[in-house]
Amino acid sequence: VMKDHEKECECFSCKNGEESLHELEQKMIEKYGWYCHIIIDNDEQSPTGFNAHTHNLQEKYNHPDIQIVVPINHESIIAILHSIVDNYIKKGITLKEGEEYDKIIQYYKVTFFNTKECGRNVLRLILPDVNGYIQQNEPMDKNFSLQYE
């Protein structure tokens, strides 16, 4: 199955096999037009080791896929990604690097950062630190400033 996984790994791919994962991805594309992977640790494509990212937004909506690298719970990730896709991307709104958005997460501003993930262009969602800082030129907490690496 996947390299570097332990024998008792509980991820979908290890429990069900790569072929089942690809079948599930195809079903998600047919149902929603996109799908999400969440890698909880040791991902070299992320400055934090955590990497949640979408697939198929570029193909379906001509919009870069979205990446989140702050380790938050799966339910929040899915809710945030659905908010982005349903309220912006499906409506033809192109999200832009550096612009602030206040309707993605209630009570918080977020922004985006252009980067690469597995060789493809993605927009990384920049989540605010505890003080609400999201811009590189602000005194952002160092754990949150990793989002810009």
Side-chain angles (χ1 to χ4, degrees):
V1 176
M2 294 173 69
K3 289 194 292 186
D4 303 325
H5 269 62
E6 297 178 22
K7 291 180 182 176
E8 291 151 22
C9 178
E10 291 295 316
C11 79
F12 185 91
S13 184
C14 288
K15 284 175 35 177
N16 301 289
E18 292 276 337
E19 190 172 314
S20 292
L21 176 63
H22 296 304
E23 289 172 10
L24 177 62
E25 292 167 349
Q26 193 57 45
K27 286 179 185 175
M28 298 307 269
I29 287 173
E30 290 168 10
K31 185 173 182 176
Y32 299 107
W34 61 281
Y35 64 93
C36 170
H37 282 156
I38 302 172
I39 301 151
I40 60 171
D41 62 3
N42 299 320
D43 190 317
E44 294 176 5
Q45 299 295 316
S46 164
T48 64
F50 182 91
N51 185 0
H53 56 274
T54 61
H55 287 274
N56 212 55
L57 295 180
Q58 184 68 52
E59 295 81 356
K60 175 89 174 161
Y61 302 106
N62 196 30
H63 190 284
D65 280 295
I66 306 297
Q67 181 188 45
I68 299 172
V69 297
V70 172
I72 57 176
N73 68 61
H74 294 79
E75 293 81 11
S76 294
I77 289 168
I78 299 304
I80 290 167
L81 292 174
H82 273 284
S83 173
I84 292 168
V85 174
D86 294 344
N87 297 317
Y88 292 88
I89 297 171
K90 282 184 178 178
K91 293 179 178 179
I93 299 168
T94 301
L95 300 165
K96 296 184 173 94
E97 178 180 48
E99 284 193 27
E100 295 185 3
Y101 299 87
D102 61 2
K103 304 256 189 279
I104 292 174
I105 301 174
Q106 191 173 16
Y107 309 119
Y108 294 99
K109 289 183 181 178
V110 299
T111 191
F112 291 89
F113 175 69
N114 289 323
T115 191
K116 296 242 183 223
E117 191 264 342
C118 291
R120 63 196 181 113
N121 294 324
V122 297
L123 273 176
R124 182 175 294 157
L125 176 66
I126 304 298
L127 295 171
D129 69 5
V130 295
N131 296 307
Y133 295 131
I134 57 172
Q135 298 292 349
Q136 280 183 295
N137 62 351
E138 296 176 326
M140 184 183 279
D141 177 275
K142 72 176 191 165
N143 292 320
F144 283 80
S145 66
L146 287 174
Q147 296 176 94
Y148 281 104
E149 291 183 15

